[in-house]
Amino acid sequence: MTARHQRERLEREARHLAPGASEEAAVGHRVFAEGRGPVLTDLDGNQYLDFAAGTLTQSLGHGHPEVVAALTEQARRLWNVHDSATPDRAALLELLAGLLPERLDTYALFSTGAEVVEAALRVVQATAAPGRNRIGALRGGFHGKTAGARMLVHWDVGHQSFAGNSILGYSAYCYRCPLELTYPSCGLRCASLVRKHIADKPNVSALVFEPVLGAAGVVVPPPGYWEQIAEACRSNGVLLVADEVLTGGGRTGTFLASEQFGVEPDLVALSKGLASGFPFAVLAGRADLMHHPAASGAGAYASTYAGNPLGIAAARATLEVVRRDRLIERVRVLGELLHERLHALPARFENLGDVRGLGLLYGLEFVTDRSSRTPAPHLARAVYTTALDLGLRVALGGHILRLAPPFTIDEPLLDEGVGLLEQALERVLS
């Protein structure tokens, strides 16, 4: 339950703060005051294991000393000179080149995930051949809240449709197959329809996709889905634009989730896991696309806060620790432990319809019953708040809970967090 100091602070800010916060913030009613490693502390001194890693931003946990030191030192020296070169920018670009696939050797720096998706769309539009004026995307995808990102997935705001010039394909959401088929007897019909309606079309310039759908509930496609689509796109000259804002940086056990599905993207959007929660984003791409005259005119990759020295310092420190401490390998090891513990849960809880994930990214889907698979957001919300009261923070969205612990968490704390989740499930679902 929310204690006195937090209630007072929440009441004060509610007098002026616009509504529309995330569901987890609106339901959780917590005022977080401090973070150290995998632990958050609220205003009344209560502590929580943070299995949401901020908002999947804290790959190194909260307040990593090397990131704090880098930001502190940079704050003493220089904050913003628009997009002029600074002493550390070249080092960050070289670090990215060592972590990303070789073909992705050119980078533009931005502030947020939505901003970098918009930049990717500009590159696609600038370099597309005449007549290739359509863009493909996947149903259930999420690419940000700016106009272009919303229009990709036909996300309307208000009472009018402003859907863009995109074609929607089917994601491989096997638990809720939109085609009412069953894997593997389905023959990956969803992938063949993406091929037919997007990859094979002569008027499509690019497919913008999340390798693993994040906001939709950590939807991990089965083997063959992406391989089939990627091959068709490559054969027909359709660019592959991977939105790895959520998955990039090592969260799934490779620096890019695309690497695990046989996809070689032409452009990649990165943000959340790059800079320990400091606003920072990168568009990585093939040199011929990023240097194309139509895509690289004056100001094409400029933005007020893009590539500011503080963001560069945070990103460089974060990624140097990830590389030096071999944390992506650690994600794979911890991911196996998390997989083993979480996949044992549906057998114990009837209302836990599905558990799915990759590396240190998992989704738990709650249903009213196994036969109808009717979404049960009230149960997800109850488990979320109960877990908070027990000292565990996860990410809530509708009838889905997402788990994304920091890469630096140790095995006993990972085990403790799953134990707290089990307690919450028992209290709510038993």
Side-chain angles (χ1 to χ4, degrees):
M1 300 295 290
T2 308
R4 178 173 62 86
H5 292 102
Q6 295 183 87
R7 287 198 303 271
E8 290 175 353
R9 194 62 55 90
L10 291 166
E11 288 168 0
R12 280 179 55 195
E13 68 174 29
R15 299 184 191 119
H16 303 286
L17 185 68
S22 65
E23 187 179 5
E24 60 192 62
V27 170
H29 300 296
R30 295 305 197 276
V31 180
F32 293 111
E34 187 176 352
R36 289 289 180 271
V39 177
L40 284 166
T41 304
D42 69 24
L43 197 59
D44 289 291
N46 304 302
Q47 293 192 323
Y48 310 81
L49 280 176
D50 188 7
F51 270 37
T55 177
L56 286 82
T57 51
Q58 311 307 120
S59 301
L60 306 183
H62 296 275
H64 191 283
E66 293 182 50
V67 180
V68 171
L71 278 169
T72 302
E73 176 58 29
Q74 185 60 55
R76 292 193 184 104
R77 290 190 281 126
L78 182 67
W79 285 32
N80 194 313
V81 283
H82 199 204
D83 56 353
S84 295
T86 53
D88 292 337
R89 190 165 71 175
L92 173 63
L93 299 176
E94 290 164 353
L95 180 56
L96 286 166
L99 291 166
L100 285 158
E102 187 175 353
R103 65 189 274 113
L104 302 172
D105 62 357
T106 306
Y107 316 113
L109 309 181
F110 296 95
S111 303
T112 69
E115 187 182 22
V116 78
V117 168
E118 295 281 354
L121 293 176
R122 292 196 297 274
V123 173
V124 169
Q125 292 162 348
T127 59
R132 286 191 180 264
N133 57 3
R134 308 295 296 277
I135 293 178
L138 296 181
R139 290 173 173 86
F142 178 77
H143 303 289
K145 298 176 183 175
T146 51
R150 289 202 324 265
M151 290 178 187
L152 274 174
V153 291
H154 301 189
W155 173 21
D156 299 333
V157 175
H159 304 290
Q160 299 183 66
S161 174
F162 290 90
N165 205 25
S166 64
I167 304 169
L168 295 184
Y170 290 105
S171 59
Y173 195 170
C174 294
Y175 185 69
R176 297 185 181 280
C177 178
L179 305 172
E180 299 184 346
L181 300 173
T182 303
Y183 179 81
S185 62
C186 61
L188 291 173
R189 180 63 174 157
C190 53
S192 64
L193 288 174
V194 173
R195 260 189 22 236
K196 177 180 179 181
H197 296 301
I198 296 174
D200 293 342
K201 291 287 187 181
N203 62 341
V204 172
S205 56
L207 171 63
V208 181
F209 66 96
E210 296 170 273
V212 175
L213 268 64
V218 191
V219 177
V220 182
Y225 175 83
W226 276 124
E227 291 86 343
Q228 181 181 153
I229 293 170
E231 181 181 357
C233 285
R234 189 73 59 215
S235 297
N236 191 36
V238 173
L239 296 178
L240 289 161
V241 182
D243 181 344
E244 299 231 19
V245 166
L246 186 147
T247 52
R251 178 148 296 280
T252 65
T254 46
F255 193 76
L256 299 180
S258 303
E259 297 175 66
Q260 298 190 48
F261 298 108
V263 180
E264 296 182 346
D266 302 288
L267 296 166
V268 177
L270 298 156
S271 183
K272 284 184 183 293
L274 294 189
S276 293
F278 198 93
F280 197 76
V282 173
L283 175 62
R286 289 172 19 210
D288 60 314
L289 293 173
M290 303 284 282
H291 286 270
H292 191 288
S296 58
Y301 301 119
S303 181
T304 299
Y305 304 106
N308 71 82
L310 288 165
I312 288 172
R316 184 182 175 191
T318 300
L319 294 177
E320 282 181 342
V321 172
V322 167
R323 181 180 64 175
R324 184 197 67 207
D325 295 350
R326 304 174 72 173
L327 290 182
I328 297 177
E329 293 179 26
R330 180 161 179 76
V331 168
R332 292 196 287 270
V333 172
L334 293 174
E336 290 177 4
L337 299 175
L338 194 59
H339 178 276
E340 182 179 348
R341 290 290 303 274
L342 294 180
H343 277 272
L345 296 177
R348 295 173 51 195
F349 302 104
E350 172 71 18
N351 299 107
L352 183 53
D354 196 30
V355 171
R356 50 188 178 260
L358 203 58
L360 287 180
L361 176 63
Y362 269 81
L364 280 63
E365 183 161 354
F366 293 84
V367 294
T368 57
D369 60 85
R370 289 279 174 85
S371 57
S372 71
R373 298 186 179 182
T374 302
H378 63 290
L379 294 178
R381 196 175 305 121
V383 173
Y384 170 75
T385 55
T386 302
L388 265 181
D389 291 340
L390 290 168
L392 175 71
R393 177 177 178 260
V394 296
L396 169 67
H399 67 295
I400 305 287
L401 293 182
R402 290 185 298 177
L403 279 64
F407 303 174
T408 51
I409 196 169
D410 61 31
E411 293 179 19
L413 280 180
L414 184 73
D415 196 58
E416 179 182 336
V418 176
L420 292 172
L421 175 65
E422 290 184 53
Q423 289 182 48
L425 292 168
E426 287 168 355
R427 293 189 185 188
V428 175
L429 303 181
S430 297

